[in-house]
Amino acid sequence: MYFDHVPRFNFKAHFNTAAPFHAHLREDGHGNIKSELLEDHMNLTMSYFEKLCAEKNLDPIFHHFEIQLVGDLSDSAKTLWQELLYNAIYTHDLGKTNPNFQSQKMKNHAHQATCSKNANHSYFSALIYANHYLNKVFTFKGKEQHILFFTLIFNSYIISKHHGYLSNFPKFLEEIDRDLVNEKPEDCFLYTESFGDIIKKPGNIESAHHKVLTDLKRNELWKSIPWIIYGRFLFGLLVSCDFYATSDFMHGPIHHFGTIKDINHYLTAFNQSPITQNIHKHQLSKSSTAVSPFDQDDINTLRSELFLEAEENLLKNSNESLFFFEAPTGSGKTNTSINLALKLLESDSKLNKITYVFPFNTLVEQTKSSLMNAFNADPAIANAITVVNGITSIKALTTSGENYPDGELYESAKKQRTDVNNRCTDYEQSLLARQFFHYPLILTTHVNFFNTLFGTDRESVFPLAHLANSVIILDEIQSYPNHLWKEIILFLQDYAQLLNMRIIIMSATLPDLGKLSLKDARPVPRLIKDPQRYYQHPLFKDRVSLDFSLLNYDREAILDQLLDKIIKTSIMLENNPKFVGFENKILVEFIKKSTALDFFVRLNDKLNSLGIKREILCMTGDDNKAERKHIIERVRTGRNLILVATQVIEAGVDIDMDMGFKDISLFDAEEQFLGRINRSCKKKAAKVFFFNYDPADLLYRNDFRKQEHLTIQDQTMWSLLESKNFTTFYDIILTEINASKLAYNDSNIENFARETLWNFDYFELQKHMKLIDDNRQEISLFICGNPVEMDGVLIDSDGLWNDYLDLLLNNSMGYAEKRVRLSDFSEKMDYFIYQIPMPKYLFDHQGQIGDLYRCERDEAFFPNGKFDRNAFRAHHENNLFL
């Protein structure tokens, strides 16, 4: 182990241990209080640290940090740096020797409270740690002393925050400067070492820290990112191992961390799937007399070629940390990405987890289904695939006795204390697995992923150590705010290199974020050397033809023209032998919800007046989960229908339409929309018509792509979209981003490094890197109405609300069980919840839980079966404004 030679802080030598110190208390099944000795807790914490290091192969990670942060120091200085890191975890609870903590929190009558009555322990732990190691640090001179001193103070800060969140480093610096110079605080009097041997007067620590910081800002500006990551990684390790040890004492040991143990099992299942077998048969046909299972003009031939090329280029660059994978919609990106992940795990034995990251929950659910098919429905792998987001139930871990392997994952059938097989749900282990990502193959959202990379509280960083040595697949990265693209690529590059991640960034419209890297950064390998080979192939290039003629109409005339064009198109498609394979399914997309709803009504009225039978559907962001699910299923299985939608349909919805009409917005959003048309690539003469009605400015604030000359209002963009020339388009965007980041304004990237990163302002960093900047004030309506079917079971809304309320009010239930059960309710309740802006009017409701209001359904605010915010307000307009 990396720390095998590192001495552990000698607790007994530096504390008066005449009276025992306790770390935690728990109540056994008979109501008796059991106490845990402090030294036992610290040793158990280190035991879990060693287990985590072994299970997650963390030794190389520590080497990476050492090389990046102190690589040019002497061996003796590096040895002390390692000791500082190791003992920051061991000493994290030394402050529990505080007599006030013992007497007040532990009810330990062997200790008497001091006059201060201060029962804090985190800060006192940091103070003792810093004081102990100052003497060792100051045996070094010059740069080595400066870097070791800087590390010591930084580690002390991390220790001080292990029961809170990462914030206010300057305040900590001020406090530790004061307290290390003055006499030993009375709350540390059982600590036997004297204070202030090295630091003789106030201001020395602050001034020394600022001197080192000034040098680093001037000479090593971009080492700020590795130091930021180091702090978060240490914080994550400390709070994780502390949590594991505490959970062990309270509830029992943790045996498994959710890693992939046998990659061959995954490879075998994947290679046995029919799709993979046919790809390998096609590969064999290229070098032998074997016959390919695909015809030359079969789209599966092209998909196979892309699959094999991506694999070949990955294996040539398998030691790299970051990869770009660009491929057209419908080319089999998901299947190819699974293969890439497995090849990476096969080539590097240290890798042991796969995490898929998506911008939308709909993509999460779809990909889970795709993964199960890709692994040939292998039950063990299907059980390992776990969705982690805000609306999916926490996976219940169950056990049925001594003969049942601890930690194996099984979905509980009833989420009750026992399931149909009489296995008991272990709520503590279930919650812990969710908090720490103890799953081999995870599907999550980019909001969750970024929270792990940049969040400031303990639960945010719990999974960080488990992302080390993982394959991360980032899908649809162009959906991230592009004013953050430069910061995103800089952090992803360092996170990947330091934590031995392999990050595959994939999309049908992929910006070359490598052009936003620092000058000395390694180029990011492209797994498809010439994407145009696939984009320009007739199967993809001619899959959908583009029509810009509706852009000639002004705003006043366009909706009437649009109505006529849609109806004529639908009539033309109906039972027309020229359109082989068409099912007369038309998609119409608007930018604003209100426009979509109004047009939905107009279209219904117009078709009814003409006596034309069509199923007209409408889908917006105001629909709840049940309605979205119903609409998508109707679109997939129906014929002769028209779907009116907002941009919720662009990405993450697996539908295949015949024709499309789109209100123009961003260039790459147009391509995402095209991906919903003729997705199977089997139809001839599929077409999309573009029109211009609602401005996209408000929807895309701070987005470089919203400029008129970069949208298809500009005819020069038409040919780029038709030819799928995203490189030329993104080169313009990336040039503008780089220019803005170098300008002397609030976006200046070097100022960000100096003022936010080097000052360890984690809270400002979290705020800066927030993906969804949504300051809208909204409330949620739980609208009771007809039962909804979920997984074959009818859910009654009234009963669900009452059961949810009962659970919230149940104070006898344990915290973990309540969290797990609440997550199960959240998934069900999402089928009945609608969002509205914070109302300035009175409305009738039959109950309230925070910002969630229970309302009875009234058709007055569901005109045409669709929830309408304005109709909801109008229904209550008899109430006066508040």
Side-chain angles (χ1 to χ4, degrees):
M1 184 181 172
Y2 178 80
F3 296 104
D4 280 345
H5 66 285
V6 172
R8 187 176 291 185
F9 177 91
N10 192 328
F11 179 70
K12 286 185 171 65
H14 298 297
F15 283 87
N16 180 347
T17 58
F21 299 106
H22 297 157
H24 300 100
L25 303 175
R26 67 175 169 84
E27 186 178 321
D28 66 14
H30 305 289
N32 301 312
I33 301 298
K34 302 291 185 181
S35 59
E36 179 188 34
L37 291 175
L38 175 58
E39 194 169 8
D40 288 347
H41 169 66
M42 292 193 299
N43 288 334
L44 188 55
T45 299
M46 298 314 289
S47 174
Y48 274 106
F49 175 63
E50 289 161 9
K51 285 182 183 178
L52 189 59
C53 288
E55 183 83 10
K56 285 297 300 174
N57 299 316
L58 296 185
D59 278 9
I61 308 300
F62 298 118
H63 279 290
H64 293 164
F65 278 114
E66 180 184 302
I67 292 166
Q68 275 276 13
L69 303 179
V70 295
D72 56 349
L73 302 191
S74 66
D75 288 345
S76 58
K78 290 177 186 175
T79 298
L80 180 56
W81 186 83
Q82 294 164 8
E83 186 177 346
L84 293 175
L85 171 53
Y86 180 76
N87 282 290
I89 297 172
Y90 179 71
T91 64
H92 74 280
D93 268 350
L94 288 181
K96 286 186 175 180
T97 58
N98 177 355
N100 299 311
F101 179 87
Q102 290 298 314
S103 62
Q104 296 173 33
K105 299 294 181 68
M106 295 291 101
K107 311 303 179 188
N108 185 350
H109 302 302
H111 295 273
Q112 298 299 315
T114 68
C115 294
S116 76
K117 305 295 184 184
N118 182 353
N120 182 292
H121 77 272
S122 299
Y123 174 69
F124 288 130
S125 299
L127 200 59
I128 292 167
Y129 166 85
N131 182 74
H132 175 75
Y133 283 105
L134 271 173
N135 286 319
K136 290 190 176 185
V137 166
F138 279 93
T139 61
F140 291 86
K141 304 297 180 186
K143 180 180 179 180
E144 292 192 329
Q145 181 192 95
H146 294 168
I147 296 300
L148 290 171
F149 170 78
F150 185 81
T151 302
L152 174 65
I153 299 303
F154 190 30
N155 289 0
S156 303
Y157 163 71
I158 298 298
I159 293 170
S160 75
K161 297 299 180 183
H162 81 269
H163 276 287
Y165 54 95
L166 296 172
S167 68
N168 217 332
F169 181 74
K171 182 181 178 183
F172 168 80
L173 195 60
E174 179 184 320
E175 290 174 345
I176 201 167
D177 179 90
R178 176 196 66 212
D179 292 332
L180 281 178
V181 175
N182 296 334
E183 291 183 12
K184 185 190 303 180
E186 61 175 351
D187 306 310
C188 297
F189 78 86
L190 293 170
Y191 166 57
T192 59
E193 291 185 279
S194 61
F195 269 49
D197 285 350
I198 297 294
I199 306 296
K200 298 298 184 183
K201 62 180 182 178
N204 278 8
I205 285 183
E206 277 194 284
S207 63
H209 180 270
H210 287 308
K211 182 181 185 305
V212 176
L213 193 59
T214 300
D215 289 342
L216 287 169
K217 286 180 179 180
R218 182 173 60 247
N219 300 318
E220 299 181 280
L221 181 64
W222 290 110
K223 263 197 184 169
S224 54
I225 294 180
W227 274 107
I228 281 281
I229 295 172
Y230 166 83
R232 289 183 50 74
F233 191 64
L234 174 57
F235 184 55
L237 287 172
L238 195 164
V239 298
S240 296
C241 297
D242 181 29
F243 194 97
Y244 288 147
T246 304
S247 180
D248 185 308
F249 173 71
M250 296 291 188
H251 310 292
I254 299 131
H255 296 295
H256 299 279
F257 294 98
T259 55
I260 294 175
K261 300 290 189 183
D262 183 9
I263 185 57
N264 290 321
H265 180 193
Y266 284 75
L267 285 165
T268 299
F270 182 70
N271 289 326
Q272 286 176 346
S273 73
I275 292 176
T276 311
Q277 287 186 335
N278 281 333
I279 290 172
H280 289 153
K281 288 177 184 176
H282 175 76
Q283 182 182 28
L284 190 63
S285 74
K286 297 175 68 177
S287 57
S288 72
T289 57
V291 178
S292 172
F294 310 124
D295 294 333
Q296 189 62 36
D297 59 349
D298 188 334
I299 191 171
N300 289 311
T301 299
L302 209 55
R303 288 169 177 159
S304 299
E305 295 288 333
L306 185 137
F307 178 103
L308 296 169
E309 181 186 348
E311 177 185 298
E312 180 184 0
N313 288 324
L314 178 88
L315 295 176
K316 287 178 182 177
N317 298 278
S318 60
N319 291 326
E320 296 291 339
S321 299
L322 214 61
F323 307 90
F324 288 149
F325 175 38
E326 182 180 11
T329 298
S331 62
K333 286 195 297 296
T334 300
N335 201 58
T336 301
S337 69
I338 299 167
N339 181 58
L340 297 173
L342 295 177
K343 291 298 179 184
L344 286 168
L345 265 73
E346 187 181 28
S347 66
D348 185 349
S349 61
K350 295 186 292 297
L351 299 172
N352 50 33
K353 193 184 291 280
I354 300 172
T355 302
Y356 271 85
V357 183
F358 302 98
F360 312 109
N361 283 315
T362 45
L363 269 172
V364 171
E365 294 297 335
Q366 284 171 201
T367 304
K368 182 179 181 181
S369 177
S370 298
L371 288 176
M372 288 180 176
N373 292 332
F375 286 110
N376 210 30
D378 183 290
I381 297 175
N383 191 51
I385 301 169
T386 306
V387 172
V388 177
N389 60 15
I391 61 172
T392 302
S393 296
I394 294 172
K395 178 178 280 188
L397 308 193
T398 61
T399 182
S400 62
E402 294 180 1
N403 296 324
Y404 190 75
D406 278 329
E408 276 194 54
L409 308 184
Y410 287 85
E411 289 284 11
S412 172
K414 294 186 178 179
K415 301 283 170 51
Q416 297 175 350
R417 292 188 181 277
T418 58
D419 69 8
V420 291
N421 296 314
N422 202 35
R423 295 189 181 104
C424 294
T425 297
D426 189 329
Y427 291 105
E428 301 293 339
Q429 294 287 348
S430 299
L431 177 59
L432 188 140
R434 167 62 180 81
Q435 290 172 314
F436 289 88
F437 286 18
H438 285 180
Y439 312 114
L441 207 165
I442 297 165
L443 296 93
T444 191
T445 62
H446 63 191
V447 171
N448 275 339
F449 180 64
F450 267 55
N451 196 39
T452 300
L453 298 187
F454 302 108
T456 58
D457 61 279
R458 296 195 318 155
E459 196 152 336
S460 294
V461 299
F462 278 163
L464 189 56
H466 296 277
L467 288 181
N469 290 311
S470 293
V471 177
I472 313 288
I473 298 170
L474 290 180
D475 195 18
E476 308 291 0
I477 199 168
Q478 82 288 338
S479 66
Y480 296 7
N482 57 38
H483 67 277
L484 293 178
W485 283 0
K486 190 173 184 74
E487 289 90 325
I488 287 171
I489 194 63
L490 296 182
F491 268 97
L492 288 181
Q493 285 171 323
D494 276 349
Y495 260 117
Q497 191 276 322
L498 290 167
L499 270 58
N500 193 40
M501 296 173 174
R502 300 292 193 276
I503 300 178
I504 300 171
I505 300 174
M506 68 177 190
S507 178
T509 55
L510 182 63
D512 184 356
L513 298 185
K515 294 179 179 179
L516 299 176
S517 303
L518 301 176
K519 290 181 180 178
D520 58 350
R522 294 169 65 88
V524 180
R526 303 186 72 92
L527 299 181
I528 303 300
K529 293 298 183 184
D530 180 18
Q532 289 299 302
R533 173 192 167 195
Y534 300 95
Y535 284 105
Q536 294 300 316
H537 192 284
L539 282 170
F540 289 125
K541 184 176 182 294
D542 300 337
R543 191 188 79 216
V544 182
S545 62
L546 311 185
D547 189 308
F548 304 100
S549 60
L550 291 176
L551 292 174
N552 294 323
Y553 294 95
D554 59 27
R555 193 173 191 274
E556 287 70 28
I558 188 57
L559 291 186
D560 288 332
Q561 293 294 328
L562 192 59
L563 271 174
D564 291 341
K565 189 69 175 177
I566 291 169
I567 292 170
K568 287 177 182 177
T569 301
S570 183
I571 293 171
M572 176 186 68
L573 291 178
E574 187 175 20
N575 301 319
N576 191 329
K578 292 182 180 179
F579 295 97
V580 178
F582 282 61
E583 297 176 315
N584 195 8
K585 295 197 284 195
I586 296 174
L587 176 61
V588 187
E589 184 191 293
F590 291 94
I591 292 171
K592 293 174 66 175
K593 297 172 189 175
S594 57
T595 306
L597 285 170
D598 289 344
F599 191 81
F600 169 66
V601 173
R602 288 185 63 179
L603 182 59
N604 262 306
D605 291 344
K606 186 73 177 278
L607 287 168
N608 288 334
S609 69
L610 295 172
I612 299 173
K613 300 288 186 181
R614 292 290 183 274
E615 183 174 11
I616 313 299
L617 301 165
C618 184
M619 183 172 165
T620 75
D622 280 344
D623 294 320
N624 66 10
K625 187 173 182 177
E627 287 172 292
R628 289 195 301 270
K629 188 174 180 180
H630 170 74
I631 292 166
I632 292 169
E633 187 60 26
R634 288 297 307 140
V635 170
R636 284 176 178 162
T637 59
R639 299 175 61 92
N640 296 320
L641 58 83
I642 301 171
L643 173 60
V644 180
T646 58
Q647 289 169 305
V648 295
I649 208 75
E650 279 178 12
V653 179
D654 186 13
I655 57 174
D656 189 355
M657 308 298 281
D658 298 332
M659 298 284 190
F661 295 81
K662 184 181 186 302
D663 194 354
I664 64 172
S665 55
L666 303 183
F667 182 86
D668 35 9
E670 323 300 16
E671 176 62 22
Q672 290 293 334
F673 178 84
L674 296 178
R676 308 310 114 195
I677 311 299
N678 192 14
R679 197 168 175 81
S680 64
C681 303
K682 294 179 179 178
K683 306 163 190 172
K684 305 297 182 184
K687 184 179 288 189
V688 166
F689 300 84
F690 292 100
F691 61 93
N692 186 14
Y693 186 70
D694 286 322
D697 291 18
L698 294 178
L699 198 61
Y700 298 102
R701 293 184 181 130
N702 301 319
D703 198 308
F704 291 89
R705 295 167 294 183
K706 72 178 183 178
Q707 301 170 79
E708 186 172 321
H709 71 282
L710 295 175
T711 71
I712 59 172
Q713 290 185 70
D714 190 314
Q715 293 188 21
T716 58
M717 292 290 125
W718 295 5
S719 60
L720 295 183
L721 185 60
E722 287 180 312
S723 63
K724 313 297 183 188
N725 189 349
F726 306 115
T727 299
T728 299
F729 169 75
Y730 280 126
D731 279 348
I732 301 170
I733 304 298
L734 297 173
T735 299
E736 293 197 12
I737 292 173
N738 263 328
S740 75
K741 294 298 178 180
L742 295 175
Y744 292 102
N745 55 31
D746 292 342
S747 299
N748 184 271
I749 193 72
E750 293 186 354
N751 188 60
F752 171 69
R754 277 189 293 268
E755 302 305 321
T756 299
L757 303 184
W758 269 126
N759 288 328
F760 302 110
D761 192 341
Y762 283 102
F763 185 76
E764 182 58 35
L765 173 62
Q766 175 184 248
K767 181 181 172 184
H768 182 89
M769 298 302 294
K770 189 176 181 182
L771 293 182
I772 301 175
D773 185 17
D774 190 353
N775 295 317
R776 294 174 298 177
Q777 291 185 309
E778 292 188 329
I779 62 169
S780 300
L781 303 176
F782 182 90
I783 299 182
C784 295
N786 298 328
V788 168
E789 183 180 329
M790 178 181 174
D791 299 328
V793 177
L794 282 178
I795 302 172
D796 174 65
S797 54
D798 290 303
L800 182 63
W801 174 272
N802 293 331
D803 289 345
Y804 180 64
L805 195 57
D806 288 344
L807 179 59
L808 286 175
L809 297 175
N810 186 334
N811 295 320
S812 63
M813 188 180 293
Y815 173 76
E817 182 176 354
K818 183 174 278 193
R819 279 279 303 268
V820 173
R821 288 178 177 272
L822 283 173
S823 76
D824 192 30
F825 271 95
S826 296
E827 184 171 11
K828 294 173 183 175
M829 293 185 74
D830 195 47
Y831 282 83
F832 300 93
I833 290 177
Y834 301 82
Q835 308 291 330
I836 64 169
M838 182 70 74
K840 296 181 180 179
Y841 53 90
L842 295 174
F843 66 93
D844 294 330
H845 62 87
Q846 292 76 47
Q848 178 183 356
I849 304 171
D851 289 334
L852 179 64
Y853 295 81
R854 181 187 185 279
C855 298
E856 293 296 330
R857 181 180 175 113
D858 192 303
E859 296 310 311
F861 46 86
F862 278 86
N864 301 287
K866 303 296 298 179
F867 177 72
D868 188 322
R869 297 179 176 192
N870 294 328
F872 181 85
R873 176 178 176 173
H875 181 67
H876 299 278
E877 65 184 359
N878 57 313
N879 294 304
L880 295 175
F881 281 89
L882 293 176

